[in-house]
Amino acid sequence: MAIITEELVSLERITAAQPREVIEQLAGQIVTAGRASDAEPLIASAWAREEQSATGMPGGFAIPHCRTSAVSEPTLAFARLGTAVDFGSFDGPADLVFLIAVPETASQDHLKILSALATGLMQDEFVTALRSAGSASEVVALIDSAVAPTEEQPSAEEPTAQEPTAEAGEPVRRLVAVTACPTGIAHTYMAADALKQAAQARGIDLHVETQGSAGSTPLPASAIADAEAVIFAVDVDVRDKSRFAGKPVVAARVKRGIDDPGALLDDALRAAQDPNAAVVSSESEDEAATGEQGRESFGRSVQRVLMTGVSYMIPFVAAGGLLIALGFLLGGYNITDVASDIAFNHSLWNLPTAAELPADFHGWGALGGYLGSVFFTMGSAAMGFLVPALAGYIAYGMADRPGIAPGFTAGAVALSMDAGFIGGIVGGVLAGAVAYWFRRLDVPRWLAGLMPVVIIPLVATIVAAGLMLLVLGGPIAALTASLEGWLESMTGSAAALLGVILGLMMCFDLGGPVNKVAYSFAVAGVSGAVAAGSDAPLMIMATVMAAGMVPPLGLALATFLDRKLFTVAERENGKTAVLLGAAFISEGAIPFAASDPLRVLPASMLGGAVTGALTMVFGVTSYAPHGGVFVAFAIDSFLLFLLAVLAGAALTALSVIALKRWTRKAPAAA
């Protein structure tokens, strides 16, 4: 089916004062044309993209666009406005607006057509013809003619070079560029085309790689080797950035590649001649360039590095915790007493005897005892990486790969000194700070190659692990021991209060930094609790998991109880949220919170607080750090655990229904 039809064209019919109003009316045209069943999710997706980066372009046109499940096929809606609307272009408002909506599962052929259209819009003749078109059918024909030749021409994503037109006798300047935007539909290709046109006018040999939705063909290695400098006109991370290591770099938002490509090329040529210019690091992260995107605030930087550490730690926790839980399922909870001996001294052909198993053994026979010991041993080994991985990847978040070895070492020292989770954070920050400082040093070129692989890891390890071993480890271990003792002593109202606090934290931001702090606090004690026979950390783990299940389950229940309060998209999300909540994936509630945070988040926190308090009061414990109802075998008093979850979910559902019925939602800002 065609990407655009006459039904999707509006000539001077739309009257609007703000970009969102234009998008809303174009989305209505798409619904009327039968390509979407509900305009709201389409508007939300397009507006979210617009808020990331304005879509107004030089020349008086705008291309709001999105990838969304709200549309059934790739679609373009066009409006020629009677009164131009400001879409954020530096040269004034836009009177031509193209709303591009692409399904999440769009084929590569459709994406190539849309990218070709975006490139065609950089041609003045095409835009002028659209302004003078007298009918909707003429507009459709113009757009069809713009995209039809794409099958015979090179794909828009292929890295291309323009023939240089430098003066005779002058050396040809050579550059490479990468363009990319979050959706990879319009800005990516328009920036590439604008840069190529500007390069041709300046006599520059430019190769461009577009990393868009239609795919990406990497730049030839020879083009990169010959280039004097590289341009990153991107709003997302560049794929395989290490290819450009050592090249002078200019980094900017993708929109600057469209608005001011000549200045971007001039900056790159100057960087090529400047010995102090920023260069592409050999590491995966781009240290060049905050550039025009601005430097991170201190708070945002702290959040980023801590979340990096936690995100890399969680796979160790999930794998290790579930293996330990399987070990208990097969070998009983007292298999810990003999697990190492059985795992290393027996095999499937030499199972342990009854005398070698614990006296009060409750596992699944000799085979269960052996497999339980194996699973427990593997799980304990994986959990042993928890603190080193946390520290190592915190350091990685601060200083990239040179920080990993010092961070892991400092974390291992913290673990050996019983400094625990807190020691891992401190060790990781120390290692990352030292490694980051050394990376910023201006060293001779002959020494630069040794810095990331020898000098930085060595010095940062000595400083971070040495400080942890000689100065900080002891006090942090004492603090950790006192915290564990305090948790052991909590009963009654004190335990309920801790449950309330943990429940509120788990539901505050649905998988964000506050949620991750509570979760990390819980999982840090699981492996130690298994070895020490302590129940308090296992109660905290059960509380955190139960509270984290509440938001998606509660909101799913609300969509079933009062469907008319929710949009079609939210009702569909409600069906998915049941499974996500049951599996302890709090992020299942994010679609609801994103559209109505002032009512969804308080209702979620209320339910989470009640569930947290009940779980602690019931004394439920969990040996598994993840899985929800699917790890029932690892949860002691599972029926009480389920009761606490259902109570919180019901309260969340009733609360959000009441808030939606009796509190007025402020209208969205245009």
Side-chain angles (χ1 to χ4, degrees):
M1 188 177 289
I3 285 177
I4 186 170
T5 64
E6 293 181 27
E7 291 178 282
L8 296 167
V9 176
S10 171
L11 300 180
E12 286 84 27
R13 293 203 312 268
I14 290 179
T15 57
Q18 300 292 336
R20 187 183 178 98
E21 296 173 9
V22 179
I23 291 172
E24 288 171 349
Q25 295 187 54
L26 286 173
Q29 289 181 199
I30 293 174
V31 172
T32 302
R35 301 194 176 207
S37 58
D38 187 356
E40 288 301 320
L42 172 55
I43 294 167
S45 297
W47 187 246
R49 174 63 186 88
E50 192 72 25
E51 289 184 315
Q52 283 182 324
S53 178
T55 58
M57 302 295 161
F61 63 92
I63 313 181
H65 54 277
C66 62
R67 293 177 68 101
T68 174
S69 58
V71 293
S72 56
E73 56 193 293
T75 298
L76 168 65
F78 170 77
R80 192 169 68 200
L81 306 177
T83 303
V85 174
D86 185 3
F87 273 81
S89 176
F90 72 90
D91 68 340
D95 64 327
L96 303 180
V97 182
F98 304 80
L99 175 58
I100 298 175
V102 179
E104 297 288 354
T105 56
S107 70
Q108 292 298 304
D109 289 340
H110 279 123
L111 292 169
K112 289 177 181 179
I113 291 172
L114 289 171
S115 67
L117 172 63
T119 301
L121 287 168
M122 300 303 295
Q123 309 300 321
D124 292 339
E125 308 81 38
F126 178 58
V127 176
T128 301
L130 288 173
R131 284 201 172 94
S132 61
S135 65
S137 60
E138 192 175 343
V139 170
V140 172
L142 281 168
I143 292 175
D144 284 344
S145 66
V147 301
T150 56
E151 293 183 1
E152 291 80 29
Q153 294 176 357
S155 298
E157 76 275 12
E158 292 180 7
T160 57
Q162 296 292 325
E163 288 296 327
T165 58
E167 296 293 333
E170 291 184 8
V172 175
R173 307 297 298 274
R174 303 183 187 278
L175 300 173
V176 291
V178 176
T179 62
C181 68
T183 52
I185 296 172
H187 286 58
T188 299
Y189 303 102
M190 297 178 74
D193 203 56
L195 285 167
K196 287 185 284 187
Q197 291 180 21
Q200 187 175 32
R202 284 167 167 74
I204 298 171
D205 182 10
L206 175 70
H207 290 256
V208 184
E209 176 181 321
T210 51
Q211 297 185 352
S213 293
S216 175
T217 302
L219 286 163
S222 58
I224 298 174
D226 293 342
E228 301 175 54
V230 58
I231 295 170
F232 292 150
V234 297
D235 287 342
V236 294
D237 288 340
V238 175
R239 302 172 202 161
D240 197 12
K241 191 182 297 182
S242 59
R243 295 172 292 161
F244 308 98
K247 293 288 182 183
V249 62
V250 172
R253 300 292 296 267
V254 68
K255 199 163 186 300
R256 190 185 174 202
I258 301 169
D259 294 344
D260 201 5
L264 204 52
L265 292 167
D266 293 340
D267 289 347
L269 294 177
R270 282 193 292 271
Q273 304 296 326
D274 183 0
N276 297 316
V279 299
V280 181
S281 169
S282 59
E283 315 305 333
S284 61
E285 297 293 328
D286 179 18
E287 71 175 27
T290 49
E292 297 183 9
Q293 301 179 55
R295 295 187 178 277
E296 283 183 314
S297 66
F298 175 76
R300 180 73 182 91
S301 177
V302 170
Q303 174 186 326
R304 177 179 59 79
V305 299
L306 290 178
M307 289 290 284
T308 298
V310 171
S311 64
Y312 280 101
M313 174 192 76
I314 286 175
F316 290 96
V317 175
L322 292 174
L323 283 168
I324 289 173
L326 285 171
F328 290 146
L329 174 67
L330 296 172
Y333 288 109
N334 57 358
I335 198 66
T336 57
D337 299 336
V338 295
S340 295
D341 289 339
I342 292 177
F344 293 125
N345 297 318
H346 294 81
S347 68
L348 288 171
W349 300 270
N350 178 28
L351 296 175
T353 64
E356 293 173 303
L357 294 170
D360 52 348
F361 177 67
H362 298 291
W364 293 10
L367 178 61
Y370 172 69
L371 293 178
S373 298
V374 170
F375 283 134
F376 178 82
T377 302
M378 290 190 296
S380 297
M383 292 294 281
F385 285 100
L386 190 155
V387 174
L390 175 66
Y393 286 108
I394 284 175
Y396 168 75
M398 297 175 68
D400 218 305
R401 280 187 289 182
I404 292 180
F408 263 87
T409 305
V413 170
L415 181 66
S416 66
M417 299 183 71
D418 295 323
F421 176 62
I422 300 173
I425 293 176
V426 173
V429 170
L430 281 173
V434 175
Y436 177 80
W437 184 80
F438 268 87
R439 287 190 68 195
R440 306 293 291 181
L441 291 179
D442 186 13
V443 298
R445 187 176 294 272
W446 62 268
L447 187 59
L450 292 175
M451 290 292 285
V453 294
V454 178
I455 297 172
I456 295 176
L458 174 63
V459 176
T461 298
I462 292 172
V463 173
L467 283 174
M468 184 62 63
L469 191 62
L470 300 175
V471 180
L472 299 172
I476 294 174
L479 174 63
T480 301
S482 64
L483 179 61
E484 291 173 353
W486 173 64
L487 292 175
E488 287 283 357
S489 68
M490 295 192 82
T491 56
S493 60
L497 177 60
L498 178 60
V500 167
I501 294 170
L502 291 172
L504 291 171
M505 293 177 70
M506 288 299 296
C507 301
F508 176 75
D509 54 0
L510 306 176
V514 176
N515 171 288
K516 288 295 188 287
V517 166
Y519 181 70
S520 301
F521 173 67
V523 299
V526 171
S527 59
V530 171
S534 170
D535 282 344
L538 302 179
M539 290 171 61
I540 292 171
M541 187 69 256
T543 299
V544 163
M545 183 152 63
M549 295 166 64
V550 165
L553 290 175
L555 289 160
L557 178 59
T559 64
F560 301 147
L561 294 177
D562 200 338
R563 293 172 59 83
K564 66 179 181 295
L565 292 177
F566 299 90
T567 66
V568 173
E570 286 175 328
R571 293 197 291 269
E572 290 300 315
N573 286 330
K575 299 173 185 176
T576 306
V578 174
L579 182 60
L580 295 177
F584 177 40
I585 301 175
S586 303
E587 289 84 349
I590 286 178
F592 299 93
S595 61
D596 193 4
L598 295 181
R599 290 186 285 192
V600 168
L601 291 178
S604 298
M605 292 170 68
L606 182 61
V610 169
T611 294
L614 289 175
T615 310
M616 288 296 287
V617 169
F618 292 157
V620 178
T621 59
S622 174
Y623 287 90
H626 215 291
V629 299
F630 299 102
V631 290
F633 61 85
I635 300 174
D636 185 41
S637 304
F638 177 70
L639 292 179
L640 291 175
F641 173 87
L642 197 58
L643 175 62
V645 171
L646 294 176
L651 183 56
T652 291
L654 295 175
S655 300
V656 81
I657 288 172
L659 289 170
K660 283 181 176 288
R661 280 185 178 179
W662 297 308
T663 62
R664 182 174 178 274
K665 182 179 178 182

